[in-house]
Every structure is written in structure tokens, then in C-alpha cells.
Amino acid sequence: MFCDGISLSLIGFIITLVSRSNGITTQTAWQLKQPLFDYSRYSSFYISSFTIPSLALRSTWIFTAYVDDTRCEVDNAFIGLQYGSFPVFAPLNESFPPFFHTQRSHFVTLFLKANNTAINYSIENPIPGKWYAASALQHDPTKHIKQKGLGLDCDFYLDVMHHIVSMEDVPVLTTGVERSLVVEHGHNALLRFFSGENTYKYTVTISNCHLTSCDNVSCLTFGHCSIRLSTRSHAFPSLTDNHTNTINCSVSNDSSSTCLLVMEQPVASDWQFVMIECLQPGNMTLNVHVLLEGCEWMHIESLMKLLTPLEDFPSNRVTQNHESEQLNEGTFDPTNDSVLSMFDEENAEFPILSPDKFGSNESLEGAAVADVRAYLDAEIATNPVCLRLSDFGRFTEFKKTFSVIFQRRIGGVPIMNIFKITEGKIVIVAFSIEPLQDSGGTFKLETDFLVDYLNGTPQVVVVQLCLSKSRIPFSNGGLSCPSDAPLLEVSNKPGKNASAKVYIPYPEAGVWFLALAAKCFSIDVKSTTVRISEPCHVHGITVTNNLTLLPCVDDSCGTYGSCREYYSGIMHFSSCYCYYGYRGYGCTDATYAESSAEQLIAILLLTLSNLFFIPAIVVCLHRRLFTEALVYFFTMFFSSFYHACDGENVYTICIIPYNVLSFCDFLGAIVSFWVTLVTMAQLPLQFTSFSYVLALLALSMGVHWDKQNLWTFLVPSIVAGIILIISWALQCHRRHSVYPSKRRWLLFILPGLCLAFLGLIIFTVFETDDNYQYTHSAWHMCIALCIVFLLPSRSDLDAPENNALCDVIVRNPSDIALVDYASASADVIITPSFSDDGLLQPLPGDVESDTPTANNILPSEESAKVSESNVQQPMKNGFV
């Protein structure tokens, strides 16, 4: 909502407060609880935006980083703040790919501690528009990997308060019209005017100035003034800004006395600000005048339509598929179109060529093409040095983000970007980068010198191309590229580059200008490296340009990375995800890259260490624990191929989708813990089967919910451990002795527990990004080997008295006691007894059978006598 006094708006965690007083507007905005993550690549940044209004006097950011739990260790944070687009910088000193231009004119890096201490950053007379901040925590690769759910959960956040002071209005000057004004002592006169889209220079003139100084008695008038005149594009003049022009001068009331300030390369199509300061006591009265100078539009609409209709140029077009808006290059011969290839039919409001110079339309239609081209050459020779062509058309690929081709057009039909350059003429073409829609990609300019059209000239011809944001790169009658803009050169000289290119990552939104100029040189016969400037004796200096916007680096990240798209709030950008230890914007920084041998060792350790499950599988098969053997094999198989797919190296192999491998790996690991502990408890078969199915269903849900949470491991392990303790406690109570035996505790259980605890300590305490392949492989080996020691022996599995939760245990089918339930009481069950070596012993009162069996089967009902001491209450299900 908005009102004249104070306004308050709350959207999520963004709060804005606005107040007005005496022509000054104060605006304060808060962005709260922005998450901070460890920096490892550009996608680690949290990107936020801030809007500075026009006529801003001061912008102040107050950043406060903190952690949600004061018991957590304090980390360092950093912030990159940039105007116009996402900050482009390398916090870890990563290198950028070749041909990348990363220089920015309004960028600053701030550092702070996440201990709830605030830092502030202020800009006087800031540039209005969008500013972007990228924030993250400084990454420490030696810091151990904290398992989720273990210890404190330390979440770091950033709060930002943005305070803006701005003026409500500034008087507007009319260009080309002289205006009189009074500048009071102690005050500065601020004025503004709007520049045209072709403006490359303007001049501010101060004249007819006189000073009036008054005291308590009288006023005196002086015929001269000492003033300071400053001007700047887009924002108020600032002494700390490189684009502010300032001059101190003395002006009298004589019409011949003036103060001139020339501003070269102002921001086109934007507000220009003029500040006049009085350097002596008194009030000044003066006249101010502004004169703009700009490039001329080139227009040949009428001539082209009368010369040859567009329908007769099928071979000179680039066809457009309107459904997908994909561009396909046609055949285009610039020599056949001569200078016509430079221009198109738009911007008719600035005609330079007129059919009237040819007389009637009928005479033009009958004119020879050679005569028309001769006329065009003469017309260009008399035109201004700076020639502005119509803007590049914008063509986007259907359903693909950050995919734009900038192409010249004739009548809305795209043609190839071929330019024929004339010596002494600067050709200017503009295009627009859209905010958010384009800012997350990488702009690329690629140019090629068409040497074949020079007809073997001995001269060295050099074509310069300047790519400038918002400012027309023209000054002092020639090409003048700003210091923060990329400058390319192509030449026909052998050994020199006939092609050149430049990349601009995350380009700033707004209008960009491409300027082209040609120069000719001769080679000094005494020194082949010295060039002597001379007039060009050749015609047909032709270059072709490709202007594209694509994700990452040409929609790729090379051999050592993959191009991905990310969202940070509403910010959408592309970034490379690098492998094998490579870093940087295009995964080209090999400072910490792993060699092929290191990559192979890492993946072999992580995969082959799972083979230590083989002894556990063999033991299970020998002891007829087939379900457990299947679980361990499942864990071994999927853990091996999960790490083979998870590794960021050239040896990565994914047999099925990564998310499936990840799920199976975590599920198998947790189920292995469960079945090992339940097997050690030696539950009855029906309880064991029930516990396995229950665990599988519950753990499938838990792993799918949050597989990396430590509690997903701990809860089933604790439950299974409780079952194990209860079972062993009952065994001890029934036996009146230690169970398992002291010998088994000493030789098997204690070594197994030591291996398990060693693996857990390595996994939770010592694992870091740098040693992951070694520590995690050690975890595999410890956990797999401890199973061999912890599984119960075969005799323990066969002995019925070792099961305290069941009254009847059957060793094997040959040990089943034969009972005639038809004649036996429903409440009677026979419990056979066994000797220490596991053999079935005859019950008291038994009568030996005439035909003893090899398997010690009990005698039949007629010869069997059951003592009352062996009669017990049965279980509901009888035999297990």
C-alpha cells in the first residue's frame, strides 16, 4: 500500500518503508533471513536484488550475517555487489575461460563474520536501477563433513537493510534553448536533460554570469563569477565516479566569456545531470545552454523498394521458422549488394537518401544498378562520420532459456550480419539485453574478416570492433572504446587473427552498441613489425558478425563439467557444474584438478571396497542365512554402482538413473544394519520374517523422505539393538550364565563391535571433501568386516536352548519329534533335549526303538513315553 506519509508493505521477508519530507524521499527496505551456503561454485550463491530509484542522493546497505544457534562455530561470509546484472567474480581466485571479458565498472566485494555484527556500505549519488548481491560462506575444504542430524544443525542467514535518500524532482532543461537561472550562495543548482538515442557528445555552456553579494548595508554586483561545473549521465555528478566531468572556470557578463564543458560518450537515451556550484560568496545569475551531437541514421527504404522488391531476394534471406523461431543461414553475397548490405528499411524518420535526388520514381526504376551504387558511394562519402544503423532483431529459440540470436533484418526478415566498412566511417548498431530474461546467460560476439574480397591488396587492413554498454563508442571523429568495454581486432595480415571473439558472462541489462571501424597500414620495409598508417586503397572491407546469447559457455561446460540452470529466489541463471576437481566459470581452471590416476584410484577405492561384503555373504550361505546373504549382496551391488555413478570423474558409469542407485544404496545400508542385529537376536522364524518386512516398508518410506538424515540410520539401529538386548538378557536369565559365552565375546563380538565403532567414527568425524575417497572406503570395509564377526555361529543357530523367546526350536527336518496329535492332549507339546554337541537325547522314560534311526528320530507313539517333566504349555502355532 502507499500513502503520502508512510507506507509499509510486507511480502514474505521483504519489508519496505517510505516517507517524504521537504522534497526529500526516504525509503528503507529489509530483506530478512536470506540463507547462506558454503561456496563451492556459482550456484552456491544466494542472489538478491535491490532497486534504487531515479534522483537518488545516497544508497546505504547494512549487512548482518548470523547463525541460528549461538553454540555453532562462527564462519566468514562474503558479498559481491554489482549494478545491472549478477556479480561476476571468483571468490576462490578461479580463472575464467579464454576470451572472457569480466571487467565491471560498478562492483564491490564485502567481507564479514557471521557473528551478528553488521557492516555497511554507502554510495553517494548512486546509479538508479537494479543492483544485485551474491552472498555465500567462505568454504573450507578441510572442514569435516557433518552428517545430517548429528550434532548441531547450524544454519547461517543474512539480513539486509537498504536505506535510500532521493530527491522528488529536479528541473528539466530543454536542449538547444538557453535558460537563465539564479544560483544562491551555499546551494548547488541541479538540472537535467534527456539525451537522444544517437547522442555521442554534448556541450554545456555557461555565459553572461554576474555575482551579487549583499551585506547588512548594501548589495554589490560583480561582472564575473567563479564556478564549478559538473555533469554526469544517469545519476547526479559524483567526484568519486570516473564518468563525471568537472571543470572550474571564471565567467564574466561579457557575451564572449563562456565556460564550456564537453561530455564525450554519455549514456544514450537517458537523463543527463548538470550541477553548478558557486565558488565565492554571493548569488550568481547566469545562462546555461546544452547542445547535443549524435550519429545519423542511414535509411534506404524507398531506394531498396524501387530498386528490387524484397520478394526477389530469396537467396539473400535467412529463413525463419515462426513456430520455433530458429534461424537458418541462407546464401548471401555482400559483393552483389555493395553498400546495400549495410542497411535496412527501418527508422524512416531520419531519411538521408531520398528518391527525389533521382527525379521521378519512373526514372529510378529504370536506372542501372551500377549507377545506384555509384550514387550510394558518393552519398556515404558526404555523410557524417558516425553512421547509426537500425537495431539488431531479436530471435529466441522456442522453449529454450537463454537462447537468443541477434540478427539484422530487412522488412522483418532476418539477413546475415555482414558489414561493408568504409575507411573513416564508424558504423554503429545497437541491440538490447533484457533484465532477468537474458542476464543469466553468456553473451558472445564472434567476428570474421572476409579476406577473399580484398583482391590480394598489399596493405594491412585492420577492422576494430567495440562492444559498449549504453555509450556510443565514438569520440574525436573516430572510434573510441571505453576503458571497461571489450575491443576486438581482425586483420588480413598473414599470421594475424582473421577472426576474433569475446564472451560477456551475465551481461548487464540495457542497450549495447557495436561499433565497427577500418584502418589501413603499410609495412615498413626495414622492420616488418612497424605499421605506417595510410589511406585505404581497397574497397570491399567486409566482416561478418555473430551475436548470440547462450547458457554457460556456448551451451556447454567442456569436457570437465555440465551446464545447468539454477534458481535463487526469482533469479534464474545458468552455471557450470564442474567435475574432476576443475573449477571456474567454464570448468577450465585446473589448479586443483585430479589426474587420471587419482580419479581412477578414487573410484576404485569407493567401488571395490564394497567387495569386503563377500566374506559376510559366504558366511551367511554356509550358515543357511539366505535372506541375510541376499540383503548383503544387494547392498554390495548398489553401493558399488552408486559410487561408480556418483564420482565426478571420467570413469563414471551409471547403469541406471542416479536417483535410483542412490535410493537403493541408502536402503540397502540401513536394512543391512537391521538384519544383522535381528539375526544376532535369533528370533523365531515368524517373528524374524515379520520384522524384515516391517523394516523394509518403514525404511523405504524413511529413505525416500530424507535419506541423508542420520536419524534414518539411528532409529532402526536402536530398535534392533533393543530387541537384541532383550533376547540376550532372557538367554542369560534362563541359562544363569553369560550369553553369548565369554569365549565368543572375546574372539568375535568385541572385535566386531570395535570394527563397527571404528567405521562410525571415521564416517562421522574424519570425513572431509579432501579425503572422502579414503575415509568412506574405510567405512565400507569396517562395516562389511564387522558382520563376519557379529553373525551367530552355526551351532548357535541350530541349538534350541539359545532361543529364549520360543519353547520349541527345530534344528532341521530330521530332528522333528513325531507326535500323534490325534491322541495327544491339545495342551501337550514335546520339548526334546539336546546334548552339548547338539545331538538329540532320549527323554526320561523313553523306550529304545528296535530300529534306531540315523537321525535320532523319536520312537513312535506306541513305544514313546513322555514324562511329566517334559510337558509344557504349547505355543499357538505349534512348531516353528
Side-chain angles (χ1 to χ4, degrees):
M1 64 180 180
F2 185 82
C3 60
D4 291 337
I6 296 177
S7 68
L8 178 66
S9 63
L10 176 61
I11 304 175
F13 289 100
I14 302 178
I15 305 173
T16 303
L17 183 68
V18 179
S19 64
R20 292 188 176 92
S21 177
N22 299 324
I24 300 296
T25 300
T26 302
Q27 178 178 332
T28 305
W30 290 267
Q31 296 191 21
L32 307 178
K33 218 166 186 181
Q34 301 178 8
L36 293 175
F37 307 102
D38 283 347
Y39 176 81
S40 58
R41 53 183 61 88
Y42 200 88
S43 58
S44 306
F45 282 126
Y46 183 88
I47 300 178
S48 54
S49 65
F50 309 91
T51 302
I52 297 180
S54 183
L55 311 181
L57 295 170
R58 184 188 305 109
S59 176
T60 302
W61 288 270
I62 300 178
F63 298 97
T64 306
Y66 60 95
V67 62
D68 60 348
D69 194 326
T70 57
R71 296 172 295 173
C72 295
E73 182 181 354
V74 175
D75 282 354
N76 296 319
F78 59 90
I79 303 165
L81 185 64
Q82 181 179 304
Y83 166 76
S85 184
F86 306 143
V88 177
F89 66 120
L92 301 179
N93 295 322
E94 307 100 317
S95 63
F96 284 86
F99 311 110
F100 263 63
H101 181 81
T102 59
Q103 186 175 353
R104 295 292 190 269
S105 57
H106 302 92
F107 172 77
V108 64
T109 304
L110 307 172
F111 298 91
L112 69 161
K113 284 187 173 295
N115 58 357
N116 211 29
T117 301
I119 65 167
N120 67 79
Y121 177 73
S122 296
I123 303 177
E124 299 293 332
N125 302 331
I127 298 178
K130 285 288 186 180
W131 289 71
Y132 297 86
S135 53
L137 297 173
Q138 292 184 359
H139 178 64
D140 183 6
T142 62
K143 190 175 181 180
H144 80 272
I145 300 175
K146 187 180 72 172
Q147 307 304 325
K148 188 175 181 181
L150 181 64
L152 296 174
D153 289 331
C154 300
D155 295 323
F156 292 83
Y157 298 98
L158 180 71
D159 289 349
V160 186
M161 186 184 78
H162 186 206
H163 184 71
I164 307 166
V165 179
S166 59
M167 298 182 65
E168 291 188 10
D169 194 19
V170 171
V172 178
L173 280 174
T174 302
T175 58
V177 178
E178 192 172 66
R179 175 175 176 172
S180 178
L181 71 146
V182 176
V183 182
E184 298 180 358
H185 175 62
H187 294 80
N188 300 330
L190 274 174
L191 304 169
R192 60 173 172 164
F193 60 92
F194 201 80
S195 62
E197 57 185 341
N198 293 333
T199 301
Y200 64 80
K201 182 174 72 172
Y202 63 79
T203 304
V204 181
T205 304
I206 304 296
S207 61
N208 295 328
C209 181
H210 61 271
L211 179 71
T212 302
S213 179
C214 299
D215 55 20
N216 295 331
V217 179
S218 62
C219 294
L220 298 176
T221 302
F222 301 93
H224 67 277
C225 311
S226 295
I227 65 173
R228 177 182 292 123
L229 180 62
S230 303
T231 182
R232 183 187 179 193
S233 296
H234 206 40
F236 295 137
S238 174
L239 297 178
T240 60
D241 185 79
N242 296 330
H243 295 292
T244 297
N245 278 10
T246 303
I247 187 174
N248 295 339
C249 56
S250 179
V251 183
S252 67
N253 57 3
D254 186 357
S255 59
S256 62
S257 177
T258 59
C259 179
L260 299 178
L261 180 59
V262 178
M263 181 67 166
E264 299 279 358
Q265 299 181 356
V267 176
S269 299
D270 208 335
W271 288 108
Q272 314 296 318
F273 293 88
V274 177
M275 184 171 65
I276 305 172
E277 302 176 70
C278 181
L279 300 180
Q280 57 189 137
N283 298 332
M284 294 188 305
T285 302
L286 51 83
N287 294 335
V288 60
H289 178 267
V290 176
L291 179 65
L292 302 180
E293 297 182 46
C295 298
E296 295 288 346
W297 284 107
M298 290 298 294
H299 172 73
I300 53 172
E301 175 188 12
S302 302
L303 181 62
M304 290 196 64
K305 286 186 176 180
L306 292 173
L307 180 64
T308 306
L310 288 177
E311 288 75 8
D312 296 338
F313 282 96
S315 62
N316 294 342
R317 297 184 181 183
V318 179
T319 61
Q320 178 184 5
N321 185 326
H322 294 284
E323 180 179 356
S324 65
E325 293 190 347
Q326 268 185 318
L327 302 179
N328 301 307
E329 291 187 356
T331 57
F332 187 81
D333 186 358
T335 59
N336 292 338
D337 287 285
S338 187
V339 186
L340 294 180
S341 62
M342 296 173 56
F343 320 118
D344 73 26
E345 60 169 344
E346 297 187 3
N347 303 296
E349 62 272 24
F350 298 104
I352 291 178
L353 303 181
S354 173
D356 296 337
K357 295 187 178 181
F358 285 97
S360 64
N361 291 345
E362 289 78 6
S363 62
L364 179 58
E365 291 176 347
V369 174
D371 295 336
V372 174
R373 289 173 176 165
Y375 166 75
L376 288 174
D377 289 337
E379 185 73 8
I380 289 177
T382 60
N383 274 327
V385 175
C386 178
L387 308 177
R388 172 75 184 272
L389 308 186
S390 60
D391 296 350
F392 283 108
R394 175 189 175 90
F395 299 88
T396 59
E397 188 170 347
F398 185 61
K399 291 185 178 180
K400 187 173 183 180
T401 55
F402 309 127
S403 181
V404 183
I405 297 176
F406 300 94
Q407 202 80 14
R408 297 186 57 227
R409 300 160 296 167
I410 294 180
V413 178
I415 62 173
M416 292 182 67
N417 295 332
I418 295 182
F419 298 88
K420 188 174 181 181
I421 313 300
T422 302
E423 181 192 13
K425 306 294 182 182
I426 309 299
V427 177
I428 308 291
V429 191
F431 61 94
S432 295
I433 296 293
E434 301 297 331
L436 298 183
Q437 184 178 351
D438 298 339
S439 297
T442 302
F443 176 82
K444 176 186 177 183
L445 167 64
E446 190 171 17
T447 183
D448 291 287
F449 196 116
L450 302 184
V451 182
D452 295 340
Y453 298 114
L454 295 182
N455 299 323
T457 177
Q459 285 186 306
V460 176
V461 182
V462 176
V463 177
Q464 292 182 324
L465 300 93
C466 178
L467 194 60
S468 175
K469 166 68 170 59
S470 302
R471 304 174 186 273
I472 296 179
F474 180 79
S475 178
N476 299 322
L479 180 66
S480 178
C481 205
S483 59
D484 57 348
L487 177 66
L488 305 181
E489 281 192 359
V490 289
S491 174
N492 68 329
K493 182 181 178 181
K496 296 293 183 179
N497 291 330
S499 63
K501 60 183 176 181
V502 64
Y503 294 88
I504 300 180
Y506 307 137
E508 300 175 39
V511 178
W512 289 72
F513 294 96
L514 174 63
L516 302 94
K519 295 181 179 180
C520 293
F521 303 89
S522 62
I523 302 299
D524 189 352
V525 293
K526 297 180 180 180
S527 175
T528 57
T529 60
V530 177
R531 301 187 304 184
I532 303 174
S533 179
E534 63 181 17
C536 291
H537 304 312
V538 296
H539 297 282
I541 303 174
T542 309
V543 295
T544 177
N545 297 304
N546 293 319
L547 295 85
T548 56
L549 181 82
L550 290 170
C552 302
V553 185
D554 294 326
D555 201 10
S556 173
C557 293
T559 307
Y560 308 108
S562 60
C563 183
R564 303 181 182 181
E565 296 181 13
Y566 298 93
Y567 284 90
S568 179
I570 64 171
M571 308 303 166
H572 182 204
F573 59 93
S574 62
S575 179
C576 285
Y577 189 94
C578 302
Y579 306 138
Y580 327 142
Y582 282 82
R583 311 182 306 167
Y585 188 87
C587 301
T588 55
D589 188 341
T591 305
Y592 299 99
E594 300 173 355
S595 65
S596 297
E598 291 174 328
Q599 297 174 37
L600 181 60
I601 291 173
I603 198 167
L604 288 178
L605 282 174
L606 291 170
T607 54
L608 297 183
S609 59
N610 288 283
L611 296 180
F612 280 81
F613 275 99
I614 292 179
I617 297 172
V618 173
V619 169
C620 288
L621 294 176
H622 176 70
R623 299 175 185 176
R624 296 189 294 276
L625 298 172
F626 302 114
T627 302
E628 289 78 359
L630 177 62
V631 171
Y632 299 145
F633 177 80
F634 179 93
T635 303
M636 178 186 69
F637 180 85
F638 282 103
S639 179
S640 299
F641 283 99
Y642 164 72
H643 286 290
C645 184
D646 182 60
E648 298 175 358
N649 55 60
V650 72
Y651 301 103
T652 298
I653 300 175
C654 296
I655 59 173
I656 55 178
Y658 175 80
N659 59 336
V660 179
L661 289 172
S662 176
F663 176 84
C664 294
D665 171 60
F666 281 85
L667 179 64
I670 303 173
V671 173
S672 295
F673 276 91
W674 177 268
V675 299
T676 301
L677 294 174
V678 170
T679 302
M680 293 172 64
Q682 301 180 58
L683 298 179
L685 180 60
Q686 64 267 37
F687 291 149
T688 302
S689 302
F690 174 78
S691 68
Y692 286 175
V693 175
L694 177 63
L696 186 61
L697 296 176
L699 293 178
S700 297
M701 179 190 67
V703 171
H704 184 73
W705 188 356
D706 190 354
K707 61 187 176 184
Q708 293 182 334
N709 195 317
L710 190 62
W711 287 104
T712 308
F713 285 84
L714 288 181
V715 170
S717 300
I718 292 174
V719 172
I722 293 174
I723 295 174
L724 174 63
I725 292 173
I726 293 175
S727 176
W728 283 3
L730 291 176
Q731 288 281 10
C732 292
H733 174 73
R734 183 170 183 174
R735 289 171 167 266
H736 302 290
S737 63
V738 177
Y739 181 83
S741 64
K742 295 179 180 180
R743 179 175 179 274
R744 183 155 189 82
W745 271 101
L746 183 62
L747 298 181
F748 296 96
I749 296 179
L750 287 179
L753 292 177
C754 290
L755 283 173
F757 281 115
L758 177 63
L760 286 173
I761 292 174
I762 293 174
F763 180 69
T764 57
V765 177
F766 295 104
E767 194 169 274
T768 67
D769 289 335
D770 289 341
N771 63 16
Y772 175 78
Q773 61 269 33
Y774 306 108
T775 54
H776 202 76
S777 299
W779 151 260
H780 286 169
M781 292 184 285
C782 290
I783 296 302
L785 289 177
C786 79
I787 297 174
V788 178
F789 291 90
L790 295 178
L791 287 176
S793 65
R794 183 170 182 177
S795 60
D796 290 337
L797 292 171
D798 291 339
E801 66 269 18
N802 291 342
N803 188 349
L805 300 182
C806 182
D807 291 323
V808 178
I809 293 293
V810 178
R811 177 178 180 183
N812 54 53
S814 62
D815 296 331
I816 297 178
L818 302 180
V819 181
D820 186 354
Y821 288 97
S823 59
S825 172
D827 293 331
V828 176
I829 188 169
I830 299 173
T831 303
S833 60
F834 293 82
S835 64
D836 292 339
D837 57 0
L839 298 177
L840 184 67
Q841 297 297 314
L843 295 174
D846 282 349
V847 179
E848 293 185 4
S849 172
D850 294 337
T851 309
T853 62
N855 294 321
N856 295 320
I857 300 179
L858 289 178
S860 62
E861 179 187 2
E862 291 78 6
S863 60
K865 294 182 180 179
V866 182
S867 68
E868 291 183 359
S869 62
N870 289 298
V871 176
Q872 300 178 3
Q873 296 298 319
M875 296 181 64
K876 292 184 179 180
N877 294 329
F879 291 104
V880 178

